Structure formats: structure tokens, C-alpha cells
Amino acid sequence: GENVEQHPSTLSVQEGDSAVIKCTYSDSASNYFPWYKQELGKRPQLIIDIRSNVGEKKDQRIAVTLNKTAKHFSLHITETQPEDSAVYFCAASRNTGNQFYFGTGTSLTVIP
Amino acid sequence: GAGVSQSPRYKVAKRGQDVALRCDPISGHVSLFWYQQALGQGPEFLTYFQNEAQLDKSGLPSDRFFAERPEGSVSTLKIQRTQQEDSAVYLCASSLFTGTSYNEQFFGPGTRLTVL
């Protein structure tokens, strides 16, 4: 089965700085890579996703990059704000089956 | 529109009790997933339905766990003879399509199960 590893497990940045979270996956058949943000006690919410036919995707301050050859993908948050503080999960999925394999999460703290 | 809802939000059970957790997916969503999220960990896949058919139950940790979706909408996850290691948040997610490239899953708020 798929194995997704995520680093770092905790990350503290000053407000306005950038944050980068990295994930690797093992199953070369995985072709969909979502990122979820989970605030304390809340449900995971999709913030950005990328499909395997794309190398990079941006949405305002958030970007995701994918390297299929190396089987890794990264989340980049620029100009961080205190409200970005949360736990971020990466995941990998195939089209068929559709279940997500999640990383272990990164707790991001943005210091005002 | 309404998102995925789950009930109860919190459940405390004594060891050995049976529990039933309910998920109401977004109307019209074909696929429904159950995940288990232990404290400080990412969600782990339990089982998956496409309409009323349970297509994958490979993630269920033991035969004490059972899930159903008899009419292809509401789903129930049942845990028999609960053990302390079953304590976790149980998340339900639904998605509109299956077998296509559109895989976004919408999560419910979860049920936090505590087994004493």
C-alpha cells in the first residue's frame, strides 16, 4: 500500500515569513495530492490540491509543487499570518479506490 | 448547502460497550469514507462505500468494526466490545465522483470516541 511521510512535524515561523512542508510517497500509481488544514477541534478542510499532470499550482499565498520522478510534493505558504496556524496534512490517492493516505501532519505556528 | 454531518460529536463508552456512529454525507455524493484519527496523527483509512456497496474494508482494524450504508446515503460505523485503543476521532468524508480525476473529499466534524 501507499506510505506517505511528512516533515517537519512542527514548524514555527515569524509572521510574514514563508513556511514549507514536505511530503514523500511510495506508490507510483498515486496521481492526486491534496493538502488539508485542520484547526484544533475542527474538520480537515481542503486548501489546495495537485494532480500528477501538473508540476506546480498556486492559489494566492499558497502553492504546491510535485516531483513525480522523486515522489515528493511540497506546500509553500508565503507571507504567513497568525490565522495560518493549524495542523496541515498532505495526502496521496489513486483515481481508483479513492481512499486518501495521509501524512502524520505538521503543526504550524505563526508568531505575531 | 449543508456539509457532511456526524453524530454524536462526542461519545464516552465503558470498555466492552457497543457504539454506533452516524454519518450524513452531502446529498448526491456517491462515495463515502470512514477514517480513524488518533491524537496527534493523520487520519487513517477504515472503509469505503460507493453508493450502498462497501468496496473496500481493508482498513478496519478488527472484526469488532462494522460499517454499513444500506440505502446509499447515511452510513453507520459500529464498534462492538469497545477497547481503550479504539479511542480516537472517527471522521467521515464524502465525494461526488469515483473512478475519475475529481477526488475531493469533504470531511465531517468527526465523532470523538473515548473508551474508559
Side-chain angles (χ1 to χ4, degrees):
Chain A
E2 174 68 279
N3 180 44
V4 177
E5 295 191 353
Q6 183 171 348
H7 301 281
S9 56
T10 60
L11 179 60
S12 291
V13 299
Q14 289 292 135
E15 182 177 359
D17 287 351
S18 295
V20 180
I21 303 170
K22 298 183 179 182
C23 289
T24 61
Y25 63 98
S26 61
D27 186 351
S28 57
S30 290
N31 58 11
Y32 175 68
F33 306 92
W35 286 87
Y36 281 82
K37 175 182 180 182
Q38 188 174 30
E39 297 178 26
L40 192 62
K42 302 277 184 69
R43 71 189 73 195
Q45 295 204 309
L46 180 73
I47 56 170
I48 195 167
D49 58 13
I50 191 166
R51 292 172 174 82
S52 60
N53 57 347
V54 175
E56 182 176 359
K57 183 177 177 181
K58 266 188 171 181
D59 183 4
Q60 299 182 355
R61 297 186 297 109
I62 296 173
V64 58
T65 58
L66 171 65
N67 182 328
K68 281 220 77 180
T69 304
K71 297 199 193 72
H72 67 70
F73 56 113
S74 300
L75 178 71
H76 304 252
I77 307 175
T78 58
E79 300 170 27
T80 52
Q81 300 168 2
E83 52 265 37
D84 294 331
S85 297
V87 178
Y88 291 81
F89 293 98
C90 63
S93 170
R94 297 184 181 189
N95 274 343
T96 57
N98 279 6
Q99 65 264 35
F100 289 175
Y101 295 90
F102 284 88
T104 49
T106 296
S107 177
L108 173 65
T109 302
V110 179
I111 304 164
Chain B
V4 179
S5 61
Q6 292 185 245
S7 62
R9 291 293 314 278
Y10 303 92
K11 177 69 179 177
V12 179
K14 291 184 179 177
R15 190 161 56 97
Q17 279 186 330
D18 297 349
V19 298
L21 313 180
R22 177 188 169 107
C23 172
D24 285 81
I26 294 173
S27 178
H29 276 196
V30 169
S31 300
L32 185 146
F33 306 83
W34 284 98
Y35 294 88
Q36 181 190 59
Q37 186 174 23
L39 190 64
Q41 299 295 314
E44 290 199 359
F45 170 74
L46 294 177
T47 187
Y48 157 58
F49 290 86
Q50 183 175 331
N51 294 307
E52 69 278 4
Q54 189 174 19
L55 297 189
D56 188 342
K57 54 182 181 178
S58 62
L60 296 176
S62 78
D63 59 8
R64 296 186 295 104
F65 286 70
F66 171 78
E68 60 183 5
R69 193 187 185 197
E71 297 177 358
S73 55
V74 171
S75 177
T76 303
L77 176 67
K78 297 179 180 177
I79 309 173
Q80 297 177 322
R81 305 181 303 281
T82 52
Q83 304 294 316
Q84 284 189 319
E85 60 263 28
D86 300 335
S87 296
V89 174
Y90 290 85
L91 292 166
C92 175
S94 69
S95 70
L96 186 57
F97 295 115
T98 183
T100 72
S101 62
Y102 189 81
N103 286 5
E104 181 175 355
Q105 293 184 17
F106 296 85
F107 282 83
T111 294
R112 181 177 295 278
L113 173 65
T114 303
V115 181
L116 303 176

